[in-house]
Amino acid sequence: MILESMHYGNRHRTAWMLSLATAIFVIAATALSWGKLAAFRYNAIDLAYYNQALWNTIHGRPFGLSIHPHLTLGDHFEPILLLLAPLYALAPGPKILIALQALALGGSAFLVFLLSKEILKQSAARDRWAFGIAFAWLVNPFVWNIQLFEWHTLPFSIPPLLAAFLFFERRRLLPFLGTLALALLVREDVALIVAGFGLYALIRRRPVLWIIPPFILGLGWFLLAQRAIARFAIGGAYKFLVYYGWLGDSFGEIAVKIFQKPLYVAAHLATFANVEMIIGLLMPFLFIPIVAPQALLVALPTLAQFLLGAPGGSSLIFETHYVSLFLPALFTAFIFGVRALPIIPRLGAIIKQHPALLPLLLASTTVYGAVMLGPIPGTMQSLRLSKNDPLVSEAQRMLNLIPADAGVAASYAYLPQLSSRKNLASLHYVFLGLTQFGAAPYTLPQNIDYLLIDTQDFLIYGLQFPKTTWTREAYASGPA
């Protein structure tokens, strides 16, 4: 009885500590993000894009958008926006989106904790290890990169994908398939991860009911999503195929080219940027995932998605929301790697002789990763500089002059604050005279009443547009 009571007390204390750590993460992540919003540091369009889409959705125009001249369904297939709309309606605006994203990321720590306990169940110190790994999630630089870069739907794929790994380990087929189906609602390319679970189940020698349904779910949904996107896209096709134009103009052509010209493809893959991305993804985990890499197979189709793109992989992947697609597999492989380390003969002897060495190395790597690869120091410095910037208060004064129902065309930084309205345009498309990827000509819409221009945007244009194929020619005539 005494031993059971102590065990219950330890579990209760661990749960309380994890709840406290998660609450601190959610509060800190939300506060920093709100500070970034107030300082006009959200300048990559995504937050404005999704806020306008959700604002239109709760006002009877599902997936409505004017930043791009079509519904969001012409960019990505994201039914999850309909599930988020009731929560968004509680306090419409960018702030609630930021808070919801922080909750999704913070709440995932509990799934990491449960998954760690399941995988490490033979370990005498499993609760302590599980708490440590869950805490590592909360301070992981990639998690913070997701939160502080922009707002996106992809982070909402993390909880169901982690849950899928958990149900896989517990051998609960229906919940496993249900969480995969839920993940599909986030975005069309999450379907590649779902299909990856079929490969993972095959390698783990699970029965056919664990293997075939993920393949069918993933590939079937991906093809269905492509048809839906083509229905609403300007060019009548999935516009992000432009990244794979060096391989072909359709999925069929791309697949054939990969097998026809393997050396040509290998030359594209063997770049410093691709190696940098892979090393960067593994570094905060002390490369432990490669000790037991089977779970990484889940992310293999997604890895190919980025490596085969014309830009290839780069640090941009783990500095932005794209790393959401890798984190569930990385953390699962990391947990399996931690379990496998003591059984490696020489390494196991070192760990047995110095039991505190591994936790110390992991803690040091996590802290180093949070400081060097994470966005917190840079964000705090940026907010400190913005605090006394007269342009911030002047921009807010100008925003206050614009009526809530007016049509506005604005520079990057002001789009989020202006996005709770029906008519909003981004001035960079006006400057180029083209929609994204040059799919169609673009002119300033007639329903625009106000222009809010930050001339610093022209410096950004000068850095970005001459280097990009579809903007290079248009940039030359933009000033006119």
Side-chain angles (χ1 to χ4, degrees):
M1 288 290 292
I2 294 175
L3 288 175
E4 288 181 2
S5 178
M6 290 176 62
H7 181 62
Y8 174 78
N10 288 335
R11 283 194 302 171
H12 181 73
R13 183 165 58 252
T14 301
W16 183 87
M17 290 172 60
L18 182 57
S19 299
L20 178 62
T22 301
I24 292 172
F25 169 89
V26 172
I27 293 170
T30 301
L32 278 174
S33 301
W34 282 1
K36 179 180 174 180
L37 178 66
F40 301 100
R41 298 289 178 174
Y42 277 95
N43 54 11
I45 294 187
D46 286 338
L47 178 58
Y49 174 101
Y50 284 107
N51 183 67
Q52 192 190 30
L54 280 162
W55 189 87
N56 273 316
T57 296
I58 67 170
H59 286 85
R61 297 179 291 275
F63 305 103
L65 192 68
S66 64
I67 295 175
H68 289 174
H70 52 63
L71 301 181
T72 63
L73 294 172
D75 288 333
H76 292 293
F77 192 59
E78 298 164 305
I80 194 172
L81 293 177
L82 298 179
L83 299 182
L84 292 174
L87 295 174
Y88 175 82
L90 296 175
K95 284 189 172 181
I96 193 170
L97 289 183
I98 288 169
L100 288 173
Q101 183 169 263
L103 280 169
L105 291 169
S108 295
F110 288 94
L111 289 166
V112 171
F113 176 75
L114 293 174
L115 182 59
S116 301
K117 286 183 65 173
E118 188 66 30
I119 295 173
L120 302 173
K121 57 187 173 186
Q122 303 301 326
S123 171
R126 71 165 188 170
D127 281 10
R128 279 179 288 174
W129 270 109
F131 173 78
I133 294 170
F135 184 79
W137 171 273
L138 293 172
V139 296
N140 185 276
F142 303 150
V143 174
W144 282 93
N145 281 341
I146 294 168
Q147 175 63 26
L148 291 176
F149 168 64
E150 273 283 341
W151 193 93
H152 211 279
T153 56
L154 279 181
F156 293 89
S157 71
I158 293 174
L161 291 175
L162 284 172
F165 273 115
L166 178 61
F167 290 127
F168 185 91
E169 293 306 314
R170 291 179 174 176
R171 294 180 176 271
R172 297 180 62 189
L173 179 60
L174 290 181
F176 166 70
L177 295 176
T179 50
L180 290 183
L182 182 61
L184 289 173
L185 300 178
V186 174
R187 205 172 86 163
E188 71 282 351
D189 48 353
V190 176
L192 300 178
I193 299 265
V194 172
F197 270 97
L199 180 61
Y200 180 54
L202 178 65
I203 297 298
R204 291 284 301 273
R205 299 183 178 181
R206 288 291 176 87
V208 69
L209 286 177
W210 292 83
I211 300 170
I212 301 301
F215 278 126
I216 294 174
L217 271 174
L219 297 179
W221 186 265
F222 186 76
L223 293 174
L224 176 67
Q226 297 306 315
R227 291 179 67 92
I229 292 169
R231 167 73 175 76
F232 294 98
I234 290 176
Y238 188 51
K239 70 180 183 181
F240 297 104
L241 272 177
V242 68
Y243 290 132
Y244 307 94
W246 66 282
L247 286 170
D249 297 325
S250 67
F251 289 109
E253 287 184 21
I254 292 168
V256 170
K257 191 75 165 284
I258 289 172
F259 288 103
Q260 281 184 338
K261 298 189 175 182
L263 294 180
Y264 177 61
V265 174
H268 177 83
L269 297 177
T271 63
F272 174 79
N274 285 342
V275 174
E276 175 192 36
M277 181 186 78
I278 294 171
I279 291 175
L281 286 170
L282 292 169
M283 188 181 296
F285 300 94
L286 208 63
F287 296 91
I288 288 174
I290 62 177
V291 174
Q294 287 182 324
L296 297 179
L297 291 173
V298 168
L300 191 60
T302 298
L303 181 65
Q305 172 192 353
F306 289 110
L307 295 185
L308 290 172
S314 69
S315 61
L316 180 70
I317 303 304
F318 55 76
E319 290 170 354
T320 63
H321 54 273
Y322 294 117
V323 77
S324 305
L325 295 166
F326 294 99
L327 279 179
L330 278 169
F331 263 86
T332 304
F334 174 65
I335 299 164
F336 274 110
V338 168
R339 189 180 76 173
L341 283 175
I343 66 174
I344 300 173
R346 180 174 293 184
L347 190 57
I350 295 173
I351 292 172
K352 189 173 182 181
Q353 188 176 0
H354 305 284
L357 181 61
L358 182 58
L360 182 62
L361 283 173
L362 292 176
S364 301
T365 305
T366 300
V367 171
Y368 175 82
V371 173
M372 301 304 294
L373 299 176
I376 297 176
T379 300
M380 294 185 71
Q381 172 71 358
S382 174
L383 296 183
R384 187 184 67 80
L385 294 174
S386 299
K387 191 174 182 180
N388 299 315
D389 187 348
L391 290 178
V392 172
S393 56
E394 180 63 12
Q396 188 57 59
R397 185 184 73 82
M398 290 191 175
L399 285 172
N400 293 337
L401 297 175
I402 300 174
D405 58 350
V408 187
S411 293
Y412 290 130
Y414 310 122
L415 294 174
Q417 285 89 342
L418 291 164
S419 56
S420 296
R421 67 185 64 238
K422 183 179 179 181
N423 299 317
L424 178 65
S426 176
L427 280 172
H428 82 285
Y429 289 133
V430 179
F431 180 91
L432 291 170
L434 295 171
T435 60
Q436 191 177 26
F437 303 129
Y442 185 92
T443 55
L444 187 68
Q446 293 184 352
N447 55 22
I448 297 301
D449 306 304
Y450 289 82
L451 302 179
L452 184 55
I453 303 173
D454 186 341
T455 53
Q456 292 184 84
D457 274 19
F458 299 119
L459 298 176
I460 300 174
Y461 299 165
L463 291 171
Q464 291 178 341
F465 294 159
K467 300 176 182 177
T468 305
T469 303
W470 70 272
T471 60
R472 190 178 297 130
E473 187 175 338
Y475 174 71
S477 58

